[in-house]
């Protein structure tokens, strides 16, 4: 299934422009200086309005929309697309040219369909793949932006790591009125943080189950053969259980590494046996990893680890057998389902309700969750409150980065608009929104022009909006993280998964990559572009090996920098 799109908007409509790509065929849509090429599903509503991607009516039950009446274009775009954003959801980009010639390009709040843009002298170009906006060449890479995303998961904004190319953030509208280009937030997480009246824990769980079942099932019905990354964790298991009833064919895939923590087959098997799902198991193979090669050259930020190359190799092999037309995952679940582990829920409940026996329950829940005693939790809560009211603060790591670069990044502060919280919100909601922001960084696995799309259905707008409205103290009820989701899917999943509190990962495989390629990795970095750009601090490489957790943390930094180096080299070398 080929996908992808490109939109070209002339700032002077009377001038004829040549499209940078996809110009070998007529445009899918053209109106008043706007030309659009799409291999994604499209809904052309009227001569001035088109929707790219998947659109669903809001349920439950939701249903896929494949056409709308000609009169709907103006109504959907009116009042900052209020009707579109409240009565529909999906993974889409809407383009609307109004009567005055102003072009509005809205990216849906889930961010399911990538959208990047480049402004030139006489036009603005948007695309779902940065390869449609730029070609590898010297001077293309923004090295300070690379340092920003390495220094902090919260520091990035809409800039990508390629100069001049920005991301249209989920829920934003790019407004082009021929003389001026601006960005308007037509959807914001801050509009959805207030809990419904009288919401309690059981009601929240029921609503969450209904909403997730509806959204995931609706997404699954769009594809005939789905491959689901299934680790046996809570998030991917919820997706499996709710996608299976409507999917044409659902195959679960669990990957395992060389160590116990990296082998979660027992959990994935428990899910498959409980739900009657087809499960494939595959070993992460170090021979699949080339540290000089970037795993995701189409990705606009070099944050994909080197070890992802083994995932790619396994997916290619399965594609031949299963004819996959979509990759599903539980990606983003930790953030959306508010996997919080701090004293912030105590602060939230105190500020919202004051002293009460219920507040004592939340204190006990935090102690169970974190293993800390009550005095320690109370001290932590007080310290957080004294520091900016307990609100989320961006943390930076200078490990492996030159001090002057990190100093500039810290001075600039957080760049993402979702981190600019209103003054009157509870501190836990600033944390939850930061989690949501992190889930948005690169949801795409592979270029859609050549590979099946990646769908992370837990990012669906109705799920996100509901989760934002649930108070943080409910998410830790009983001393379990993501407690509302665990309660919601009791009986839908095996207890070994709903009660699971520890999660494995590919850390052991990452260490194996480092040990196999240590010398080559160090050489790769010492003679690389990050060093030439003044980003890399060589003392990270000069430090002695340390078997403790500090040494493991250092190795993870080296691997992240190595992945960024390979990405930067790919984009800095002409492929002609």
């Amino acid at each position: 299934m080929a996908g992808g799109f490109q939109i070209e908007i002339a700032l002077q409509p009377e001038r004829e422009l040549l499209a940078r790509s996809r110009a070998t065929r007529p445009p899918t849509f053209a109106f008043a200086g706007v030309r659009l090429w799409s291999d994604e599903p499209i809904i052309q509503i009227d001569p001035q309005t088109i929707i790219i991607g998947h659109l669903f009516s809001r349920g439950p039950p939701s249903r896929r929309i494949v056409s709308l009446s000609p009169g709907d274009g103006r109504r959907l775009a009116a009042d900052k697309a209020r009707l579109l954003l409240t009565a529909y959801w999906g993974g889409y980009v809407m383009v609307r040219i109004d009567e005055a010639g102003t072009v509005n390009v809205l990216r849906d709040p889930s961010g399911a369909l990538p959208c990047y843009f480049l402004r030139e002298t006489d036009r603005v170009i948007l695309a779902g793949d940065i390869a449609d906006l730029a070609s590898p060449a010297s001077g293309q890479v923004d090295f300070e932006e690379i340092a920003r995303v390495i220094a902090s998961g919260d520091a990035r904004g809409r800039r990508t790591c390629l100069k001049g190319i920005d991301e249209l953030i989920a829920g934003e509208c790019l407004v082009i009125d021929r003389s001026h280009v601006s960005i308007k937030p037509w959807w914001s997480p801050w509009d959805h943080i207030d809990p419904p009246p009288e919401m309690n824990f059981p009601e929240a769980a029921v609503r969450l189950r209904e909403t997730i079942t509806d959204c995931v099932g609706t997404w699954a019905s769009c594809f005939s053969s789905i491959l689901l990354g299934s680790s046996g964790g809570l998030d991917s298991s919820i997706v499996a259980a709710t996608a299976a009833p409507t999917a044409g064919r659902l195959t679960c895939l669990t990957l395992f590494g060389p160590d116990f923590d990296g082998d979660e087959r027992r959990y994935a098997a428990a899910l498959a046996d409980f739900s009657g799902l087809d499960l494939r198991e595959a070993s992460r193979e170090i021979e699949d990893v080339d540290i000089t090669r970037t795993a995701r050259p189409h990705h606009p930020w070099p944050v994909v680890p080197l070890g992802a190359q083994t995932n790619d190799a396994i997916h290619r092999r399965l594609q031949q057998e299963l004819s996959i037309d979509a990759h599903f995952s539980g990606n983003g679940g930790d953030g959306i389902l508010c996997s919080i582990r701090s004293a912030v829920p105590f602060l939230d409940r105190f500020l919202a309700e004051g002293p009460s026996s219920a507040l004592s329950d939340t204190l006990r829940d935090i102690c169970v969750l974190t293993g800390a005693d009550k005095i320690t939790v109370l001290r932590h809560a007080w310290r957080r409150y004294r520091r900016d009211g307990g609100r989320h603060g961006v943390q930076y790591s200078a490990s492996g980065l030159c001090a002057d670069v990190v100093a500039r990044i810290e001075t600039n502060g957080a760049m993402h608009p979702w981190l600019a919280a209103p003054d009157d919100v509870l501190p836990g909601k600033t944390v939850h929104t930061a989690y949501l922001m992190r889930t948005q960084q690169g949801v795409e696995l592979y270029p859609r022009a050549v590979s099946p799309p990646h769908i992370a259905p837990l990012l669906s707008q109705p799920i996100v909006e509901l989760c934002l409205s649930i108070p943080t103290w409910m998410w830790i009820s009983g001393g379990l993280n993501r407690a509302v989701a665990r309660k919601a899917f009791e009986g839908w999943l095996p207890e070994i998964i709903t009660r699971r509190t520890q999660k494995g990962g590919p850390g052991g495989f990452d260490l194996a990559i480092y040990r196999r390629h240590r010398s080559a990795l160090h050489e790769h970095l010492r003679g690389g572009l990050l060093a030439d750009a003044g980003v890399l601090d060589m003392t990270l490489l000069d430090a002695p090996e340390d078997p403790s957790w500090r040494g493991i943390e250092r190795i993870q930094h080296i691997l992240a920098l190595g992945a960024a180096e390979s990405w930067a080299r790919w984009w800095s070398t002409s492929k002609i």
Side-chain angles (χ1 to χ4, degrees):
M1 174 184 288
F5 69 91
Q6 182 175 341
I7 306 166
E8 182 187 71
I9 303 166
L11 298 178
Q12 298 176 336
E14 66 276 4
R15 291 186 58 186
E16 180 68 20
L17 298 174
L18 294 176
R20 183 179 292 248
S21 65
R22 302 183 187 270
T24 57
R25 60 176 183 173
T28 309
F29 169 89
F31 186 89
V34 177
R35 297 196 294 178
L36 181 152
W37 294 260
S38 178
D39 291 313
E40 301 287 339
I42 62 167
I43 306 170
Q44 183 160 353
I45 301 171
D46 58 35
Q48 299 169 237
T49 314
I50 191 167
I51 292 177
I52 309 164
H54 290 80
L55 184 69
F56 310 112
S57 64
R58 191 177 288 237
S62 296
R63 63 181 181 86
R64 186 173 179 185
I65 302 297
V66 295
S67 64
L68 288 165
S69 68
D72 285 334
R74 182 179 300 175
R75 289 192 293 272
L76 289 180
D79 192 18
K80 298 181 179 179
R82 184 180 299 275
L83 177 64
L84 182 63
L85 293 170
T86 56
Y88 301 88
W89 64 277
Y92 63 84
V93 169
M94 182 187 75
V95 182
R96 166 75 179 172
I97 305 99
D98 67 18
E99 287 70 15
T102 299
V103 183
N104 296 293
V105 183
L106 170 69
R107 185 183 181 198
D108 95 89
S110 76
L113 188 60
C115 188
Y116 310 102
F117 66 94
L118 170 67
R119 179 171 182 176
E120 296 183 335
T121 303
D122 57 351
R123 62 183 171 180
V124 176
I125 309 172
L126 300 96
D129 189 330
I130 54 171
D132 285 333
L133 302 177
S135 299
S138 177
Q140 189 78 262
V141 174
D142 186 334
F143 287 96
E144 188 145 324
E145 203 61 30
I146 288 180
R148 181 184 307 281
V149 299
I150 291 174
S152 175
D154 294 340
R156 78 174 184 94
R158 60 174 55 88
R159 292 180 187 170
T160 73
C161 292
L162 294 180
K163 294 177 181 176
I165 299 178
D166 291 344
E167 179 189 31
L168 187 63
I169 290 171
E172 287 187 337
C173 185
L174 189 69
V175 181
I176 304 163
D177 66 2
R178 310 306 186 186
S179 61
H180 181 66
V181 178
S182 60
I183 295 174
K184 306 294 184 183
W186 283 11
W187 180 95
S188 169
W190 301 114
D191 296 332
H192 302 279
I193 59 171
D194 293 330
E198 306 302 322
M199 174 183 276
N200 57 38
F201 181 80
E203 178 191 347
V206 170
R207 289 190 57 188
L208 184 63
R209 182 177 64 250
E210 291 174 347
T211 304
I212 291 178
T213 301
D214 178 57
C215 291
V216 177
T218 302
W219 267 120
S221 68
C222 297
F223 304 98
S224 60
S225 178
I226 297 169
L227 182 66
L228 169 66
S230 177
S231 64
L234 180 65
D235 307 327
S236 61
S237 297
I238 286 173
V239 173
T242 51
T246 58
R249 177 173 64 189
L250 179 68
T251 306
C252 296
L253 171 65
T254 187
L255 307 183
F256 59 93
D259 61 331
F260 180 79
D261 283 346
D263 187 348
E264 300 189 295
R265 285 177 288 179
R266 62 195 181 281
Y267 296 104
L271 170 69
D273 291 343
F274 185 88
S275 304
L277 298 172
D278 179 21
L279 174 66
R280 306 298 175 94
E281 300 173 349
S283 171
R284 300 180 187 273
E285 300 294 340
I286 201 166
E287 287 74 18
D288 292 328
V289 178
D290 177 353
I291 60 105
T292 67
R293 185 165 63 88
T294 177
R296 304 280 193 273
H298 71 288
H299 203 289
W301 301 278
V303 295
V304 179
L306 293 168
Q309 294 176 53
T310 193
N311 302 42
D312 301 352
I314 292 166
H315 287 165
R316 285 194 298 270
R317 291 191 286 269
L318 282 174
Q319 175 68 44
Q320 302 302 314
E321 175 188 350
L322 299 173
S323 299
I324 301 159
D325 62 358
H327 293 277
F328 272 42
S329 76
N331 285 16
D334 279 357
I336 295 159
L337 303 178
C338 197
S339 184
I340 198 166
R341 189 182 176 87
S342 73
V344 169
F346 178 85
L347 278 179
D348 277 6
R349 194 158 204 177
F350 177 78
L351 293 170
E353 300 178 353
S356 65
S357 59
L359 184 63
S360 299
D361 294 340
T362 297
L363 178 59
R364 184 186 63 248
D365 291 339
I366 295 172
C367 291
V368 174
L369 177 66
T370 63
D373 59 67
K374 292 182 179 180
I375 297 300
T376 300
V377 172
L378 290 171
R379 285 174 176 167
H380 177 68
W382 175 240
R383 284 197 298 268
R384 280 200 67 133
Y385 184 72
R386 290 182 64 189
R387 188 187 72 237
D388 197 23
R391 295 155 74 93
H392 176 74
V394 178
Q395 302 295 315
Y396 300 91
S397 171
S399 180
L401 301 173
C402 290
D404 60 330
V405 175
V406 177
R408 289 196 300 271
I409 292 168
E410 290 194 47
T411 299
N412 291 334
M415 308 289 284
H416 200 287
W418 291 0
L419 297 185
D423 293 335
D424 58 347
V425 302
L426 293 173
K429 285 305 161 185
T430 69
V431 177
H432 197 173
T433 301
Y435 289 171
L436 176 62
M437 181 273 289
R438 293 173 196 166
T439 69
Q440 294 281 332
Q441 186 168 1
V443 297
E444 199 73 348
L445 278 183
Y446 307 117
R448 290 191 176 213
V450 296
S451 298
H454 171 222
I455 307 297
L458 294 180
L459 285 167
S460 298
Q461 181 186 346
I463 299 174
V464 169
E465 291 175 353
L466 174 59
C467 289
L468 285 170
S469 73
I470 296 173
T472 55
W473 57 86
M474 289 187 187
W475 289 111
I476 62 162
S477 180
L480 294 171
N481 64 22
R482 295 167 289 171
V484 183
R486 294 176 191 274
K487 181 65 176 177
F489 288 94
E490 280 184 355
W492 287 58
L493 299 172
E495 190 172 338
I496 191 178
I497 290 175
T498 58
R499 304 299 295 179
R500 184 182 182 188
T501 59
Q502 300 297 322
K503 186 71 171 63
F509 185 65
D510 291 339
L511 292 178
I513 293 172
Y514 180 77
R515 291 170 183 141
R516 170 75 69 89
H517 297 290
R518 179 188 180 281
S519 297
L521 262 171
H522 283 233
E523 182 180 352
H524 188 54
L525 287 168
R526 288 187 188 279
L529 298 177
L530 297 182
D532 289 346
V535 168
L536 178 64
D537 179 2
M538 292 295 184
T539 60
L540 180 72
L541 304 178
D542 295 334
E545 299 296 332
D546 180 351
S548 73
W549 66 267
R550 293 181 182 85
I552 294 174
E553 189 175 76
R554 168 180 168 269
I555 287 170
Q556 294 291 352
H557 283 299
I558 291 173
L559 289 168
L561 287 160
E565 176 67 31
S566 296
W567 184 93
R569 291 192 189 192
W570 193 94
W571 277 103
S572 299
T573 305
S574 175
K575 302 298 187 289
I576 298 177

